[in-house]
Amino acid sequence: MQPFAFSTVAGLIFGAGAVKRIAAEAARLGRHAFLVTGRSTSRAEGLRRDLAAGDIACTLYRVTREPDLESVSAGARAARKAACDVVIGIGGGSVMDAAKAIAALVTNQRPLLDYLEVIGKARPLDREPVPCITVPTTAGTGSEVTKNAVIRSPEHRIKVSLRSPDMLPDLALVDPELTLSLPPELTAATGCDALTQLIEAFVSIRANPLTDGFCREGLARCARSLKTAYHQGDNLTARTDMAIASLFSGLALANAGLGAVHGIAGPLGGMRAAPHGDVCARLLPIVTAVNIAALENTSPERSLLERYRETARLLTGNREARARDGIAWLNTTIRELNIPPLIRWGLTPAEITELAESALRASSMRGNPVPLERQTLETIISTAMQEDD
Ligand SMILES: [Zn+2]
């Protein structure tokens, strides 16, 4: 067996109502919190009151869109000016990513580009970030337990990662009750992101026995609860399953990597303001079919093909399921969840080659179970653009 390593957050608390512990937990890490939130501040106000009651000062910072070079750098300057010694991110993946990046830049004061992959110098962080707590309010990205922050550069038309083992949060506080009010479209998009991440980490060439366990458990919960959470948003059992699926997808992907779906979805997210989870959902059955076909043609890769069979068994609940039954399940599910095809986000046929070339260079692509050529990626993208018949 290949040797493997696994690293994750220093602390993790999961449970309905867990968010009430925020002040006590933050007090162990600092005295002045930089509280990063999304569009809605009502939840942050409650948190601010809890922190004040625990004698923790609080500076509020709103991130209303996906983090970009400017908003992250400005956040770090504000946190430094207020002498914040702990960063808390409460929100979806974008908010938690912004919080992790800000925590890193408070102590690492070179220009952000110096530390960024692809468009920057990819310089390792010079100093440890200030402590960071992540509190997800969606069930999808797993960002609460990953070591990177996806940051958009409007100038380069690309999204890239700020990445460091030191960026693993000090505490992930996961409270499924926070997702009860998530509207159906967001539940579908973020849930499909978790589903994609679990499948890609499970069939990744970097998968290990520890990430496998997270993927199997996460996939079983996703299979039984994704559609229920979409149709019955107030169902706490389904929400809990999806919060676990999302968390486990993050634990897995941070250690096993991802595949071609994320290889394409990453650069596409830099070109169009399309919801990441919707993009992943549309690409997933197509990439799965391409990977299975390629594995069937290369006999030494039987064990990877077996992974797709196991995925199909977990998704369908049928012990006799074949690898291709998993694709049918995925297609039925994305239709039931009303996930729009990529064409609706304004992607044009003229951009397909550019997108496929960027995907080839994406770090996520490296975990894909088989190497894919540019032409194959172009076919995948144009298929995902088509309207359903
Ligand atoms: Zn994702």
Side-chain angles (χ1 to χ4, degrees), residues 41-349:
T41 50
S42 55
R43 196 170 271 142
E45 282 308 324
L47 223 56
R48 200 218 283 263
R49 273 195 301 277
D50 290 351
L51 290 167
D55 236 0
I56 299 187
C58 186
T59 298
L60 196 65
Y61 189 71
R62 282 177 75 196
V63 179
T64 50
R65 50 203 156 87
E66 289 178 316
D68 56 28
L69 295 175
E70 181 43 43
S71 64
V72 169
S73 303
R77 282 195 298 275
R80 244 181 263 138
K81 196 165 163 218
C84 294
D85 51 9
V86 54
V87 176
I88 303 174
I90 177 164
S94 295
V95 170
M96 292 187 286
D97 277 5
K100 290 188 290 182
I102 289 168
L105 293 184
V106 168
T107 50
N108 293 275
Q109 303 192 11
R110 288 171 184 270
L112 171 53
L113 265 177
D114 283 10
Y115 304 109
L116 280 180
E117 293 178 351
V118 186
I119 55 170
K121 297 181 188 154
R123 181 191 166 91
L125 294 182
D126 301 300
R127 293 193 180 80
E128 266 203 40
V130 294
C132 181
I133 301 177
T134 44
V135 187
T137 58
T138 64
T141 65
S143 171
E144 63 271 23
V145 289
T146 60
K147 57 188 167 217
N148 68 308
V150 180
I151 294 169
R152 183 189 185 83
S153 169
E155 180 200 340
H156 300 87
R157 284 202 353 135
I158 197 172
K159 278 192 206 170
V160 290
S161 271
L162 176 65
R163 192 185 307 269
S164 165
D166 291 336
M167 283 171 62
L168 279 166
D170 293 78
L171 175 69
L173 219 162
V174 186
D175 184 343
E177 281 184 357
L178 297 179
T179 66
L180 286 172
S181 56
L182 203 63
E185 314 80 66
L186 266 176
T187 302
T190 49
C192 284
D193 188 21
L195 172 65
T196 306
Q197 291 171 174
L198 288 163
I199 294 179
E200 292 211 291
F202 192 51
V203 301
S204 165
I205 49 170
R206 291 170 47 209
N208 70 54
L210 199 44
T211 59
D212 288 350
F214 288 119
C215 291
R216 288 190 178 101
E217 180 68 22
L219 280 170
R221 287 178 188 264
C222 216
R224 73 176 178 233
S225 289
L226 173 57
K227 289 178 248 182
T228 312
Y230 174 72
H231 293 297
Q232 307 163 27
D234 58 355
N235 184 320
L236 185 60
T237 308
R239 293 295 195 182
T240 301
D241 273 348
M242 290 310 297
I244 289 178
S246 171
L247 171 66
F248 283 15
S249 78
L251 294 170
L253 82 86
N255 291 281
L258 292 161
V261 175
H262 277 81
I264 297 169
L268 198 157
M271 294 162 69
R272 286 289 179 281
H276 171 73
D278 282 348
V279 170
C280 287
R282 277 287 168 169
L283 290 165
L284 181 60
I286 305 161
V287 168
T288 303
V290 167
N291 282 348
I292 289 173
L295 291 168
E296 280 172 344
N297 290 332
T298 49
S299 51
E301 305 295 348
R302 297 317 278 182
S303 63
L304 285 168
L305 202 52
E306 177 49 35
R307 299 244 147 187
Y308 275 114
R309 279 195 211 105
E310 191 177 349
T311 302
R313 291 196 291 270
L314 287 163
L315 293 178
T316 61
N318 173 6
R319 292 171 60 179
E320 307 294 316
R322 297 158 304 150
R324 286 172 191 284
D325 297 329
I327 304 169
W329 187 92
L330 292 172
N331 278 320
T332 313
T333 300
I334 61 169
R335 280 183 194 220
E336 188 173 331
L337 300 180
N338 292 307
I339 307 280
L342 299 192
I343 192 98
R344 305 260 193 100
W345 305 114
L347 194 67
T348 63

